[in-house]
Amino acid sequence: MVGRADMGRQRSNNEDSVGLEPQARPWPVAVLADGMGGYNAGEVASVMAVELITTSVQHGPAADESMLAAQCELTDALHMANTAIYAAAQSTPGCSGMGTTVVAALVLASEVLIAHLGDSRAYAWRAGRLQRLTRDHSLVQQDIDAGLISEADARTSRYGHLVTRALGVMPQVEPELNHWPLQQGDRILLCSDGLTDMLSDASLASLFDENLPLARLQEALIEAANAAGGKDNIGVVLIEQGA
């Protein structure tokens, strides 16, 4: 696993946060969050999300390692983080209205479990093909699903950053869970919209196709997003399935 949150070219603070625990038991875990809110509040929310979720799913080698257990643990972790962020937003001066998107991955023996809220995404790269594993929780995605606008039009929509689900905004949340059966050589990408707003899926795929080492691919993705304008913070996490 590698991960980094870059400030980008046009922001004065960084509201993206990443957390990696490749040795966590019973499952390695990675979390990426993209905060929103007033001055510094988004950063508070995203850091809380990453720290709370990564800590919550670690129990040691005696825990149940099944997919069902992982689903329950990850769902519970997101609910717990939501409750904590929502409470902080209600009680902390300057944090009113804060929240954060989140995408989290637990790596099981033969699968990766993904949970997300908002428009931070997960992708899988296998055998020359990049596949999106998550569907954005956003007004624009709802319009795409309804056939009202195209994917191309969505990239320039004025409503592109209005999410329909996030951590910490409402007392309750409904995280969406997906899983991907892992094969040797698979690469998983978690990213914030600071990457995908700047680079199309085709552009992402072309960088994956260069077969760079994992750390270099991470830097290449961030460099490309910044070269395209770097309008937002850029969060990137990469996971590679070894032999």
Side-chain angles (χ1 to χ4, degrees), residues 101-117:
T101 72
V102 66
V103 57
L106 294 185
V107 184
L108 284 70
S110 60
E111 298 178 89
V112 61
L113 174 66
I114 304 290
H116 83 290
L117 291 159

Side-chain angles (χ1 to χ4, degrees), residues 4-236:
R4 186 159 76 84
D6 186 85
M7 190 175 296
R9 294 278 177 84
Q10 300 185 26
R11 295 295 180 93
S12 59
N13 65 322
N14 196 346
E15 295 185 329
D16 285 8
S17 297
V18 300
L20 309 175
E21 294 289 346
Q23 303 303 320
R25 302 295 299 271
W27 314 283
V29 56
V31 182
L32 182 149
D34 179 0
M36 51 199 178
Y39 181 70
N40 282 342
E43 183 176 351
V44 171
S46 65
V47 169
M48 286 182 67
V50 166
E51 292 181 349
L52 291 169
I53 294 168
T54 55
T55 301
S56 177
V57 297
Q58 298 180 54
H59 295 285
D64 182 352
E65 297 183 19
S66 68
M67 172 59 77
L68 179 59
Q71 290 173 335
C72 292
E73 289 288 344
L74 191 51
T75 300
D76 286 349
L78 266 68
H79 284 304
M80 179 271 294
N82 182 74
T83 298
I85 296 168
Y86 182 78
Q90 301 302 305
S91 62
T92 306
C95 289
S96 177
M98 75 175 177
T100 182
T101 72
V102 66
V103 57
L106 294 185
V107 184
L108 284 70
S110 60
E111 298 178 89
V112 61
L113 174 66
I114 304 290
H116 83 290
L117 291 159
D119 58 3
S120 292
R121 295 178 180 174
Y123 291 83
W125 173 260
R126 175 186 294 167
R129 181 167 179 253
L130 188 69
Q131 180 171 329
R132 196 183 303 181
L133 303 182
T134 55
R135 181 171 293 275
D136 294 349
H137 299 140
S138 66
L139 291 179
V140 164
Q141 186 63 58
Q142 289 181 354
D143 286 346
I144 293 172
D145 294 343
L148 300 176
I149 62 173
S150 67
E151 289 272 2
D153 291 337
R155 295 183 64 81
T156 57
S157 171
R158 60 186 293 188
Y159 303 111
H161 298 288
L162 295 179
V163 297
T164 55
R165 301 190 209 182
L167 279 180
V169 177
M170 302 291 290
Q172 303 293 328
V173 290
E174 293 183 35
E176 183 174 343
L177 271 62
N178 297 280
H179 63 95
W180 175 259
L182 288 169
Q183 295 181 10
Q184 183 178 347
D186 281 0
R187 287 179 163 182
I188 304 298
L189 166 68
L190 311 181
C191 61
S192 65
D193 63 354
L195 183 73
T196 53
D197 282 352
M198 296 292 96
L199 302 175
S200 67
D201 285 7
S203 297
L204 296 176
S206 68
L207 290 168
F208 273 84
D209 202 35
E210 295 181 15
N211 199 30
L212 299 168
L214 207 63
R216 179 67 192 107
L217 174 58
Q218 171 191 261
E219 294 309 308
L221 291 165
I222 292 171
E223 287 168 5
N226 276 323
K231 294 181 180 178
D232 199 354
N233 309 141
I234 305 159
V236 173

